[in-house]
Amino acid sequence: MADPNPNPTGAPARIDGNVLAAKSLARFGVDRMFGVVGIPVTSLANRAVALGVRFIAFHNEQSAGYAASSYGYLTGRPGVLLTVSGPGCVHGLAGMSNAMANAWPMVMISGSCDQQDFGRGDFQELDQVEAVKPFSKFSAKARDIREVPGCVARVLDHAVSGRPGGCYLDLPTDVLHQTVTESEAESLLDEAEKCRLKEEMSNVLSSQIEEAVALLRGAARPLIVFGKGAAFARAEDELRKLVEVSGIPFLPTPMGKGLLPDTHELAATAARSLAIGKCDVALVVGARLNWLLHFGEPPKWSRDVKFILVDVSKEEIELRKPFLGLVGDAKRVLELINKEIKDDPFCLGRSHPWVEAISKKSKENVLRMEAQLAKEVVPFNFLTPMKIIRDAILGMGSPAPILVSEGANTMDIGRAVLVQTEPRTRLDAGTWGTMGVGLGYCVAAAVASPDRLVVAVEGDSGFGFSAMEVETLVRYQLPVVVIVFNNGGVYGGDRRTSEEITGPYKDDPAPTSFVPTAGYHTLIEAFGGTGYLVTTPAELKHALSESFSARKPTVVNVIIDPYAGSESGRLQHKN
C-alpha cells in the first residue's frame, strides 16, 4: 500500500535550478529549444521537455545555433539554443553571431563551471559572458537560483526589443543544483513576469510620413526595396497594398523574395541593374544599405537618388544618413504611408515610362534566361537541374515549400532561377554570407512550419559543413528534401593553372577539391533515410516527384560538371 504521506517530515517540496530554469522558459513562451546536451545541462533539457518544450537535439552546437537563429526569424519569437560549458558555448557562437548579423531574435543558454572553482582550472572553465560580448546584444548570468526567472525573462525580452538579435544567458553548475521551495519558485516566476520589458512603439511624425509620400508622388522613377526585416515584421499585406495602389516597381533582397510574388507584374528583380541604377527615389523597408545593396552608393546607384529608409533601429538610420529616415516597425510605418496615400491617391500606371522601362527590361532578361533554361545540358550544368527543381517546387502549389539555399554558384544561380511566391519561404547565407547554415535551417523550418515541405538546394561544400545532421532529419522524421549540387569541390574541380601546381605538395588535391562524384546520398541511407543519385533530367524528375510526395528525409545527389561553375560564384573580385 502506498504511503498516504509521501513527505512525512512535512517539509515543503523543493525544486532545483534545472527545474526552475525549465519552468521559466515554459512560462515565458518558449516552445522549442535546439542544442547539444551534456554536463551540466542534460537535466535542464529533460525538465524542459517534461514541461512541454520540444527539444531538438543536434550533433553540433554550430548547426543547432543556426537552427535557433532561423527559428527566431520564422516565428518572430526568440529561438533558443542550449549548450554545455566552455567549448560548447564557443561552438554556439556561430549561431549567435549569425543571429546578430541578420537581426534575428535568439537566446543562447550555456551551462558554466562552479562559481567557487572559477580561476582554478575547473572542467570546461571559461569566462563565457566575456567571450560572447562581441556577438551578444545583451547578456545575463544567474549567480543564485533566485535570479534564474528574472534572467530568463530579460534575455528573451532583449532578443526581440528594438532591432532583434542574439542574447546570452549563463547558468553556473552550482546554481543549477541549488534549490528553492515550490512556492518560492512560483513567487519568483510571478515577480519576473511583472517586470518583463514592454515594447515601446516608436512614433513616426506625421510630417515625416507626409514628406515620404510627397517624395514618392513627385518621383519620376520611384522604387520600393524591401528585405528580411520587412519579412520579420509580417509587412507583406501592407507592401502589397502600397505597390498595387501606387504602381511603384519593387525589388526584394534575397530573403525578402516572396513577400510579394516574384511573378508580380511590378517585380523588378529581373531588371535589378536598371532599377537601382536609374531610380531617383528609393523607399527601403527593412533592408540595410550594406554590401547586398552596394552600400547605396555609385556606381550601382545614381548619385542623385534620394533614400527613404525605414528601419526599426535609429542607429542604422544615423549610420546610413538617408535623405529621410523613418524609425519604426516596418508594418506600422507602411500602414501610415498607405493611409496618407489613401487621402490623396496617386498611381504610376502601366503606361508610365518608368514602369514600361522596368517591364521591358524584365521581360527581355527573363526571355534570355528562359532560353538558357530550355537547353537540357548533360553532364549537368547548374541551369538544367535548377529549372527542373523550380518546376517541381512550383508544382507543389500552396503552401509553398520553404527553400533553403547555400553555396557559391548554387545559391547565386538559384536566386535567379527559383521562384518565391509566399512570404518567409527563402532562407540563405544572409547578411553575413554564412556557409554551413543549411541543415540547421532545414530543421528549424520543418519545426516552425510543419505544414510545409522543406527543400534545400545546396552546393557540396555548403552541405559538408553540417552533413551529419541528416541523422537529425531522420531521427525526428522531418519533411526535408536536401538536393546537393555535387561538382566535386568548393567551386568545382581543380581550377589551377599549370604554373600554380608546383612545390613539394603539388600532388595533393587542390585546396578547392573534394572526392569526385562522392556518394552523399548514401550518408542518409545509413540512418534509414532515402537517397537518390541522379545524373540525367529524367532521374532528377523521378527523384523529386517521389521525395516531394513522400515528405520524408531525403538526400538527392545531383552530379554536376566540375567545370560548370565559376570561382566565388559572382564575387570573384572579393577573392
Side-chain angles (χ1 to χ4, degrees):
M1 180 175 178
D3 186 346
N5 184 6
N7 189 12
T9 65
R14 302 182 72 86
I15 63 173
D16 68 7
N18 291 291
V19 176
L20 185 54
K23 279 179 172 287
S24 302
L25 291 166
R27 174 82 166 262
F28 303 145
V30 174
D31 61 353
R32 302 288 186 273
M33 189 155 52
F34 309 88
V36 178
V37 296
I39 297 171
V41 297
T42 305
S43 182
L44 171 53
N46 286 329
R47 299 300 177 267
V49 170
L51 289 169
V53 178
R54 189 182 190 193
F55 189 88
I56 308 297
F58 280 73
H59 289 274
N60 184 292
E61 292 94 350
Q62 187 179 50
S63 290
Y66 293 145
S69 69
S70 57
Y71 186 82
Y73 168 66
L74 292 169
T75 65
R77 305 187 307 276
V80 178
L81 167 67
L82 182 65
T83 84
V84 301
S85 49
C89 173
V90 172
H91 293 166
L93 286 177
M96 195 172 179
S97 58
N98 191 62
M100 285 299 292
N102 286 303
W104 292 347
M106 173 187 165
V107 169
M108 180 167 77
I109 302 173
S110 296
S112 59
C113 70
D114 278 312
Q115 294 177 91
Q116 66 181 9
D117 292 327
F118 184 80
R120 303 172 62 199
D122 195 20
F123 175 69
Q124 294 188 336
E125 179 186 313
L126 174 68
D127 186 346
Q128 293 166 194
V129 172
E130 191 66 27
V132 305
K133 267 187 179 179
F135 313 103
S136 176
K137 179 182 175 185
F138 174 82
S139 297
K141 181 171 184 172
R143 300 181 184 278
D144 181 270
I145 186 173
R146 291 164 184 82
E147 297 178 5
V148 168
C151 286
V152 171
R154 285 197 296 276
V155 292
L156 291 171
D157 290 344
H158 278 281
V160 294
S161 66
R163 166 169 282 175
C167 293
Y168 175 70
L169 174 59
D170 194 274
L171 296 177
T173 301
D174 52 301
V175 171
L176 293 173
H177 292 159
Q178 291 171 2
T179 63
V180 293
T181 64
E182 287 189 342
S183 61
E184 186 178 3
E186 289 304 313
S187 296
L188 291 166
L189 288 164
D190 290 342
E191 183 181 347
E193 190 155 43
K194 288 177 185 175
C195 297
R196 296 195 69 180
L197 291 175
K198 300 295 187 292
E199 182 70 17
E200 294 184 7
M201 295 294 292
S202 57
N203 294 315
V204 182
L205 297 176
S206 58
S207 60
Q208 292 180 304
I209 297 296
E210 292 169 2
E211 184 179 359
V213 172
L215 284 167
L216 293 171
R217 179 183 285 111
R221 297 175 301 281
L223 180 68
I224 298 171
V225 180
F226 51 81
K228 59 181 177 292
F232 180 79
R234 270 58 179 173
E236 53 266 23
D237 291 341
E238 289 72 23
L239 273 170
R240 180 186 294 275
K241 183 177 180 180
L242 175 59
V243 165
E244 295 184 351
V245 166
S246 68
I248 297 174
F250 66 87
L251 177 71
T253 64
M255 263 192 276
K257 281 164 60 73
L259 278 176
L260 295 180
D262 288 342
T263 52
H264 194 287
E265 63 181 359
L266 288 170
T269 306
R272 187 177 190 275
S273 296
L274 172 66
I276 68 175
K278 297 295 183 182
C279 71
D280 57 353
V281 173
L283 173 64
V284 182
V285 184
R288 281 173 276 179
L289 294 175
N290 56 18
W291 69 277
L292 286 162
L293 288 174
H294 313 289
F295 308 105
E297 296 174 349
K300 296 292 186 180
W301 294 85
S302 165
R303 291 187 180 278
D304 301 322
V305 63
K306 294 177 180 178
F307 286 107
I308 307 168
L309 187 56
V310 179
D311 200 285
V312 74
S313 169
K314 180 181 178 181
E315 292 74 20
E316 177 68 20
I317 288 175
E318 290 174 345
L319 171 67
R320 306 299 175 182
K321 297 179 176 58
F323 186 86
L324 176 62
L326 305 178
V327 181
D329 173 78
K331 181 182 177 75
R332 174 63 178 152
V333 172
L334 288 173
E335 285 174 348
L336 295 172
I337 289 174
N338 283 329
K339 183 179 179 181
E340 178 69 19
I341 291 175
K342 182 180 178 182
D343 294 339
D344 187 7
F346 70 93
C347 185
L348 300 191
R350 294 183 183 179
S351 61
H352 189 282
W354 175 235
V355 176
E356 283 191 334
I358 294 288
S359 177
K360 180 173 181 289
K361 177 57 71 173
S362 292
K363 288 175 181 176
E364 289 174 357
N365 288 342
V366 167
L367 285 173
R368 190 176 297 114
M369 174 64 79
E370 288 300 322
Q372 293 298 314
L373 292 171
K375 303 171 185 176
E376 285 199 345
V377 178
V378 180
F380 280 144
N381 60 9
F382 282 86
L383 291 175
T384 294
M386 204 68 79
K387 178 182 184 296
I388 295 169
I389 294 166
R390 180 195 69 180
D391 294 346
I393 290 175
L394 287 173
M396 295 291 290
S398 185
I402 293 178
L403 172 71
V404 175
S405 181
E406 66 175 332
N409 295 282
T410 307
M411 184 175 66
D412 284 342
I413 295 170
R415 185 168 59 245
V417 176
L418 302 176
V419 177
Q420 312 298 141
T421 58
E422 295 179 11
R424 293 168 295 281
T425 55
R426 179 182 172 87
L427 295 167
D428 63 24
T431 303
W432 228 20
T434 312
M435 293 298 156
V437 296
L439 271 293
Y441 282 7
C442 285
V443 173
V447 171
S449 303
D451 59 325
R452 295 183 188 268
L453 178 70
V454 179
V455 179
V457 182
E458 308 213 326
D460 48 358
S461 176
F463 176 67
F465 279 83
S466 58
M468 188 62 183
E469 301 300 347
V470 298
E471 188 275 338
T472 307
L473 302 181
V474 175
R475 188 173 3 119
Y476 292 98
Q477 282 298 294
L478 300 175
V480 176
V481 177
V482 181
I483 304 168
V484 181
F485 276 49
N486 182 356
N487 63 352
V490 176
Y491 307 120
D494 190 342
R495 304 298 181 85
R496 296 174 298 176
T497 64
S498 57
E499 290 79 14
E500 292 175 302
I501 306 176
T502 60
Y505 303 107
K506 61 183 177 62
D507 294 328
D508 276 358
T512 56
S513 297
F514 299 149
V515 172
T517 63
Y520 296 121
H521 58 293
T522 64
L523 181 60
I524 199 168
E525 291 175 344
F527 304 113
T530 303
Y532 295 91
L533 174 66
V534 303
T535 59
T536 68
E539 290 172 347
L540 180 55
K541 290 174 184 176
H542 172 74
L544 297 183
S545 176
E546 285 199 345
S547 59
F548 284 13
S549 296
R551 296 174 63 90
K552 297 290 185 182
T554 304
V555 170
V556 181
N557 185 10
V558 184
I559 305 300
I560 305 292
D561 182 343
Y563 297 100
S566 61
E567 185 180 0
S568 297
R570 297 178 186 176
L571 287 173
Q572 290 94 332
H573 67 287
K574 296 284 187 182
N575 201 2

